Amino acid sequence: MKTASASVPASASVDEPKWLTDEEQRVWRSYIEATTLLEDHLDRQLQRDAGMPHVYYGLLVTLAESPGRRLRMTELAMHAKITRSRLSHAVARLEKNGWVRREDCPSDKRGQFAVLTEEGVRVLKRSAPGHVAAVRQALFDRLTPEQQKSLGEIMRIVAEGLQPSEAGADLPWLR
């Protein structure tokens, strides 16, 4: 059985996948390992210091940065790059903690807003310094300014390529 790093002979059929080169395979596996470890590291830090997973922290930050500390649920799902179902579950947990509340949308009977509460603001202010220190230690302190710039450019290109704008695109927040 061929692996992603197997060499493909010149006579390979058109249906044959374009296998990753050995170097591409090394890059891919390094990316997977690094992103998995980074997400785990940040998740553990936030669970330990703030009692919330990384995704919840991201939701609180997004709401804090939004006008009136509120966003429609669909917009919040889009910012977080998660499904509406996952967002609904997360917001329910944040509501239970008193950090977020839902409000009906006056212009759309089916729509709802997620609103950051004063308690949510306090939790965010308490947890932000430790989170920023964890991000800095795990990522930015390990890279030169040039590497940071390159990483930002690379991730922007990848993200833009995975977010098609045409109707019917299969994106998490549309599911």
Side-chain angles (χ1 to χ4, degrees):
M1 181 166 119
K2 290 190 177 184
T3 65
S5 62
S7 299
V8 179
S11 62
S13 75
V14 189
D15 295 338
E16 188 77 17
K18 182 180 176 186
W19 300 105
L20 298 179
T21 65
D22 289 343
E23 181 58 23
E24 289 169 333
Q25 187 68 258
R26 278 191 290 280
V27 169
W28 174 245
R29 288 183 180 171
S30 292
Y31 167 82
I32 292 296
E33 183 178 351
T35 56
T36 300
L37 290 169
L38 180 59
E39 185 62 30
D40 178 70
H41 175 74
L42 298 176
D43 204 53
R44 284 183 295 113
Q45 178 272 318
L46 282 164
Q47 285 285 7
R48 180 185 64 244
D49 297 349
M52 75 177 96
H54 191 216
V55 70
Y56 291 13
Y57 179 85
L59 295 172
L60 296 179
V61 167
T62 300
L63 289 171
E65 294 173 345
S66 299
R69 297 189 320 225
R70 72 180 53 237
L71 268 181
R72 285 189 63 132
M73 293 285 283
T74 52
E75 284 185 74
L76 186 54
M78 183 183 72
H79 281 278
K81 310 293 186 246
I82 60 176
T83 64
R84 290 179 286 192
S85 172
R86 184 171 181 201
L87 175 68
S88 184
H89 175 74
V91 168
R93 295 291 304 270
L94 293 169
E95 279 182 302
K96 186 177 177 184
N97 291 340
W99 301 344
V100 169
R101 71 174 182 275
R102 292 184 212 218
E103 293 179 356
D104 291 330
C105 178
S107 63
D108 177 3
K109 298 235 186 260
R110 296 182 314 152
Q112 284 192 318
F113 287 97
V115 182
L116 185 64
T117 65
E118 289 302 320
E119 181 59 25
V121 171
R122 284 191 287 277
V123 166
L124 193 54
K125 284 182 179 178
R126 279 193 312 265
S127 57
H131 179 64
V132 169
V135 169
R136 180 164 299 290
Q137 176 271 328
L139 183 65
F140 292 102
D141 289 351
R142 298 172 189 273
L143 302 175
T144 66
E146 295 80 23
Q147 290 170 324
Q148 292 174 22
K149 183 178 178 187
S150 293
L151 179 63
E153 291 169 354
I154 291 165
M155 293 295 101
R156 182 186 45 76
I157 289 167
V158 171
E160 286 174 358
L162 292 171
Q163 296 183 86
S165 57
E166 66 268 0
D170 184 21
L171 297 167
W173 54 93
L174 298 176
R175 289 185 228 135

